[in-house]
Amino acid sequence: MTSRTTPLGQAIRYALATTAALAALPAFAQDGSGATPTNLDRIEITGSRIRQVDVETAQPVFAITRTAIEQQGFSSVADILQNVTAMGSPAISRANALTAGENAGGSYIDMRNLGTQRTLVLINGKRLGISTSGYQDISTIPVSAVERIEVLKDGASAIYGSDAMSGVVNIITRSNVTGVTANVYHGQFSQGDGARDRFDVVAGWSNDRISLTVAAEHAEEKAVWAKDRGFSAYGLTDRHADNLTNWTTLSQYGQFTGLKGRPGCTNAKDGCNYSLNRGTDPTNPANYHITDPSAFTGDVSNANDQMHLNFPLKRDSVYFDGRFKITDNVNFRTELGYNKRKAVRQIAGYPLQSSTAGVGSMSIDSYFNPFGRQHGYATPTAVAWNRRTWEVPRVTTSELKTYRAVASFDGSFEIGSRFFDWEAGYQYNRNELETIATGNLHKARVAGGVGPSFYNAATGKVQCGTAAAPISYDVCKPWNPLVPYGTIDPNGIDGNAALQEWLFPPEVTTGKTTSKNFFANIAGSIVTLPAGDLGFAFGVESRKETGEYRPDPLAQTGATTNLAAGPTGGGYKVNEAYLEINVPVLADLPGAKELTFNGATRFSDYNTFGNTLNSKFGFKWKPFDQLLVRGTWAEGFRAPTINDLYGGGSQTFAQFSDPCDVQFGSSRTSAEVRARCARDIANAATFRQLRQGNQPVATSVDATPVPFVSGSNPNLTPETSTSKTLGLVWSPGFIKNFNASLDWWKIRIDNTIVADSPTQILIDCYEQGIDARCQRFTRDKSTGPTAGIVDTLQFGSRNAGFMETEGYDLDLNYRLETNVGKFNAGWATTYVSKSEFRSTNDSTVVPTVSNGIGSNFRVRSNLVVGWELGNFGVSWTARYYSGVKEQCVDIRSYPDECSDPNVYAPWYKGARNYNERGSVTFHDVQFRYSLPWDATVSVGANNVFEKTGPIMYTKPNSAFSYYGGYDIGRFVYMKYQQRF
């Protein structure tokens, strides 16, 4: 995006009528750029390619200025944008350490809760680089390099192409800076954790022909552990720390499973589970007791003890902007960016179950099998076992390097009395990813370790094989998984270190995506009409996207307990041309101070699926100077991503809900669902969904005990959308410096590339009766305790169904100057009146309602007030989230935690018992003072009252019983800025 930059031009931008809460604080302050006022500039506002002096556009644009950014306590672009009311839930929140794949560790924006891939992110009007899944990681953008952020809350595929369906975020970087500014930021939660530090320097030099700006930043965010917050300390929060359903029977102390014929075991059919009496000889059969999951005997564990709530993150960034005036009418501009992001995520040790992990039972000839041949057991047998490998938590370290370069020529020329602006250039983006995962077990080595072994008296160690045919330690290392965590196996080899290195090999995954884009644009006016100049913009682009994601060979072959994944690789090319016109129809007439129509269309030719044409129409009408009426109608599209088309299948332990569960599922109340479940499950009348450890679930949503498989589809076609807006902007003459805007919006997306889910597949099969969806999974046919569980399930991308959302944005702003200081107030509210989707094209299927459910808030609202007097300033922000509904936790165990027992939930067919979760408001405050030596010091706190949001057992956008977008404590910070 190119424009001349002067203080007057900036002031016009900041006076956008839709600028609201987060931009409500003083927006006209100088930034030390050293620029001097010149003439009134024609500028380009996000959502239009036509430069003009009048910045009141037909589409709603929200601006966050540099001043507003500095007067917040957020230290990243992601946190700043996530608090805009139009934003939906974070696609991959910091509270979801269980997230895997190439996008884990990044930060992403989702407008209107329509999905991250449907929100387009630009830097200076050019696309931010993407992953193979089409995700744009905004954590790669340093805050220090940002001049302002413009958020277009409207579809704009006609202007920008694919992905601009729910809106556009345009991040404008700093330029024309003179001098040096250094910033130091430090903050942490009042619990003493989660420290965040940022150091940045912005330096610039310019004269009449050259402007050079450099921004360098180092940022680091420390970890917050789940065990240090009540809502995440246990699976069902610390409210139920003493309830065994809140713990997992897959403990760090291990157990034999399904052992029959032992004294005290009354389950002759399935056998019993046995745990070792800690501190005793594990080879003695008498030292084992029947596992008791109903008592704290050491046979259970709390996996949350080892998990990150917020994982640590480091960023190092350098950004350069250079502008060179070659002639009076020709300029050259270059942008260079580099960012390195490192994220480390930890989750609990692997819950290894020999019956499902493919490692086999402990051999009847294993020295460690107390019920085997070598210890005189009456009826020797091979024994199944499980063990959570507590001593080696699963840690994933992701390092992403991002390179960005833009080189362009631009300028202006005059034909007759008409001016034309032009630009031509090339853009290059590259993302390089390396992920190192540890903590997963090598299946073949585990199988060998629990296979035949013997005690070698000559070496004093246990060895694989038999005395007659020993196996070298270089080939096999014996392992006793029943040795309690924290002890050293006296019969092992070289203590635990060598064994751990053997059993837990690191896995290295790499990825790379590259974007190349040639572009050329021209804009100007064609003719002068009675109401003004007829403006136009025309441009062409040729963009090529390539990418690959290569899991470690061990993961590709399924050799470890890590989720198996195939390689992704491919690319596509698109050639595009667009045309935009701006037609003034009436001006300076009674009842029509202005009437202007705007139209745009874009032709896109993809080598994957063919052509698409998308258009947009808008109008703005001023019946009188103080009132603007505006509206738009726009078509949009989203092209399938590389991963959608060419992704390798991957396994995941998905969180899902089984309708056939008789306690939480819809089979409890729906005869139709019960009948369909009985078709697949012999014990449908008593069937319970199982979680890890093969224990019945305690909530309506939990992780599957076996991995499911996700995949791609090369036959996908683009999504299509239609968006509409209609709004009013009012600046009454009788209230000075007051602006109000109200916009209605509606977005419908058809032919959706469904990010399918196990829950939706099962709902479509059993609740909606769609037979084709039932073919996507199978159920276990055994007669054991796992009979009836979903054994295999494949889900991935497909074109089907629709998404539709509708609502209103209200923005109010007021500025008052008095003898006791300057006062500012801004109030931004987003109200969602409708949100629903259907994952099938079958029109007889009732759409699923999501509005006000889980993390789909009906109302988000921000109120900002500020006061400045001389060198002193203070700002206060209130961030409001409305209440939501969710499925109740087990009402028989926790009847006091279900607000509406026996009430049918309208969003979940046949299900009853749901919870009303209350609203929550987080308050932020900042105090700042300008020091005499050209410095500013700021202190503040986010969530100053240390408010905690409501417990949410459905775990929206989180691995814990808490919404992943809520504040997790009071965050206190200090900033110091020094200008030179």
Side-chain angles (χ1 to χ4, degrees), residues 599-876:
T601 190
R602 188 181 192 94
F603 174 80
S604 304
D605 181 15
Y606 281 77
N607 67 345
T608 49
F609 61 82
N611 303 331
T612 180
L613 183 70
N614 295 270
S615 301
K616 184 172 184 175
F617 171 79
F619 76 92
K620 56 177 181 175
W621 169 46
K622 281 187 176 181
F624 49 90
D625 282 334
Q626 293 79 27
L627 180 65
L628 170 68
V629 182
R630 62 188 180 189
T632 63
W633 174 90
E635 296 175 314
F637 77 103
R638 180 172 82 87
T641 67
I642 294 171
N643 187 63
D644 288 335
L645 298 169
Y646 314 116
S650 61
Q651 291 182 318
T652 178
F653 285 99
Q655 298 273 341
F656 81 110
S657 181
D658 194 332
C660 293
D661 182 276
V662 296
Q663 184 165 322
F664 296 109
S666 51
S667 66
R668 180 180 180 183
T669 55
S670 171
E672 292 179 354
V673 174
R674 283 197 301 272
R676 293 180 185 128
C677 292
R679 175 191 61 195
D680 298 336
I681 306 172
N683 60 329
T686 59
F687 173 75
R688 293 300 318 283
Q689 177 183 340
L690 300 182
R691 55 190 171 109
Q692 291 182 356
N694 290 326
Q695 299 297 314
V697 295
T699 62
S700 59
V701 177
D702 215 322
T704 169
V706 295
F708 295 157
V709 177
S710 63
S712 59
N713 181 356
N715 299 314
L716 291 171
T717 58
E719 298 179 334
T720 59
S721 70
T722 302
S723 63
K724 305 171 186 177
T725 69
L726 183 63
L728 301 172
V729 182
W730 183 44
S731 301
F734 57 87
I735 307 178
K736 187 178 180 181
N737 296 324
F738 173 77
N739 294 290
S741 67
L742 176 64
D743 289 281
W744 165 81
W745 48 267
K746 184 176 184 179
I747 305 171
R748 180 184 172 99
I749 301 173
D750 289 295
N751 202 36
T752 52
I753 300 176
V754 178
D756 219 346
S757 71
T759 296
Q760 194 59 50
I761 290 173
L762 295 173
I763 287 175
D764 289 347
C765 173
Y766 292 110
E767 295 184 7
Q768 306 289 4
I770 305 172
D771 290 337
R773 298 287 274 164
C774 302
Q775 308 305 314
R776 305 298 295 272
F777 64 91
T778 62
R779 288 190 178 269
D780 188 277
K781 303 301 182 182
S782 70
T783 57
T786 60
I789 69 164
V790 180
D791 188 39
T792 61
L793 187 149
Q794 295 185 350
F795 64 99
S797 300
R798 61 191 178 94
N799 287 106
F802 74 92
M803 302 174 69
E804 186 170 89
T805 184
E806 183 178 4
Y808 301 85
D809 291 328
L810 173 66
D811 297 330
L812 305 175
N813 293 278
Y814 182 56
R815 188 175 70 255
L816 178 65
E817 296 187 14
T818 71
N819 293 331
V820 293
K822 300 177 182 179
F823 295 89
N824 300 272
W827 184 24
T829 299
T830 295
Y831 171 73
V832 182
S833 59
K834 178 182 182 181
S835 180
E836 62 182 30
F837 69 93
R838 188 173 62 214
S839 59
T840 175
N841 292 327
D842 187 348
S843 60
T844 63
V845 174
V846 178
T848 299
V849 176
S850 58
N851 196 22
I853 314 302
S855 59
N856 295 282
F857 302 97
R858 283 186 178 272
V859 179
R860 283 193 61 184
S861 185
N862 292 339
L863 173 65
V864 180
V865 293
W867 172 56
E868 290 192 346
L869 179 62
N871 293 326
F872 177 78
V874 61
S875 59
W876 187 281

Side-chain angles (χ1 to χ4, degrees), residues 104-370:
S107 300
Y108 311 97
I109 290 299
D110 175 5
M111 288 183 66
R112 310 295 192 198
N113 269 321
L114 290 174
T116 288
Q117 297 151 305
R118 301 180 181 99
T119 301
L120 180 63
V121 180
L122 309 173
I123 300 180
N124 299 319
K126 311 295 187 300
R127 288 173 175 264
L128 181 64
I130 59 174
S131 68
T132 64
S133 303
Y135 281 59
Q136 297 179 283
D137 184 4
I138 58 174
S139 73
T140 63
I141 305 168
V143 176
S144 57
V146 177
E147 175 62 32
R148 71 183 183 278
I149 302 173
E150 294 177 353
V151 180
L152 172 63
K153 297 184 285 187
D154 186 21
S157 286
I159 303 297
Y160 299 112
S162 177
D163 310 336
M165 302 176 85
S166 59
V168 177
V169 174
N170 191 12
I171 300 170
I172 293 88
T173 58
R174 304 181 73 177
S175 61
N176 293 325
V177 171
T178 298
V180 178
T181 302
N183 294 277
V184 178
Y185 174 101
H186 174 76
Q188 68 177 23
F189 291 100
S190 55
Q191 289 88 343
D193 55 13
R196 299 184 179 185
D197 294 284
R198 191 180 83 232
F199 311 93
D200 66 71
V201 176
V202 180
W205 176 83
S206 64
N207 59 25
D208 291 341
R209 306 198 72 84
I210 299 176
S211 170
L212 306 176
T213 302
V214 177
E217 178 178 297
H218 170 78
E220 185 170 354
E221 302 180 17
K222 300 292 187 181
V224 177
W225 293 95
K227 61 185 178 182
D228 294 326
R229 299 292 189 274
F231 53 79
S232 58
Y234 302 88
L236 297 178
T237 78
D238 58 0
R239 295 181 182 181
H240 310 293
D242 58 349
N243 192 307
L244 267 297
T245 60
N246 202 20
W247 294 62
T248 172
T249 55
L250 264 173
S251 82
Q252 60 265 45
Y253 304 111
Q255 59 188 230
F256 288 115
T257 61
L259 190 61
K260 301 178 182 179
R262 288 276 293 168
C265 179
T266 58
N267 190 341
K269 178 182 177 182
D270 300 319
C272 296
N273 299 345
Y274 288 85
S275 298
L276 178 68
N277 300 326
R278 280 182 283 170
T280 63
D281 179 5
T283 62
N284 185 345
N287 291 335
Y288 289 81
H289 63 271
I290 295 179
T291 302
D292 184 3
S294 63
F296 287 95
T297 60
D299 301 334
V300 295
S301 67
N302 177 20
N304 290 20
D305 276 348
Q306 289 194 324
M307 294 184 64
H308 280 141
L309 173 58
N310 270 9
F311 52 79
L313 189 69
K314 289 184 180 180
R315 297 189 305 270
D316 291 292
S317 307
V318 178
Y319 174 81
F320 170 77
D321 179 280
R323 303 190 183 196
F324 307 87
K325 195 175 186 66
I326 299 174
T327 70
D328 288 344
N329 295 314
V330 178
N331 308 303
F332 174 74
R333 180 180 182 181
T334 182
E335 304 169 46
L336 302 174
Y338 169 78
N339 181 85
K340 183 172 74 172
R341 183 209 74 206
K342 183 177 181 181
V344 181
R345 308 183 311 282
Q346 178 176 308
I347 59 178
Y350 190 84
L352 185 61
Q353 304 173 75
S354 67
S355 59
T356 59
V359 298
S361 299
M362 184 174 286
S363 170
I364 195 172
D365 292 313
S366 170
Y367 176 81
F368 299 125
N369 185 352

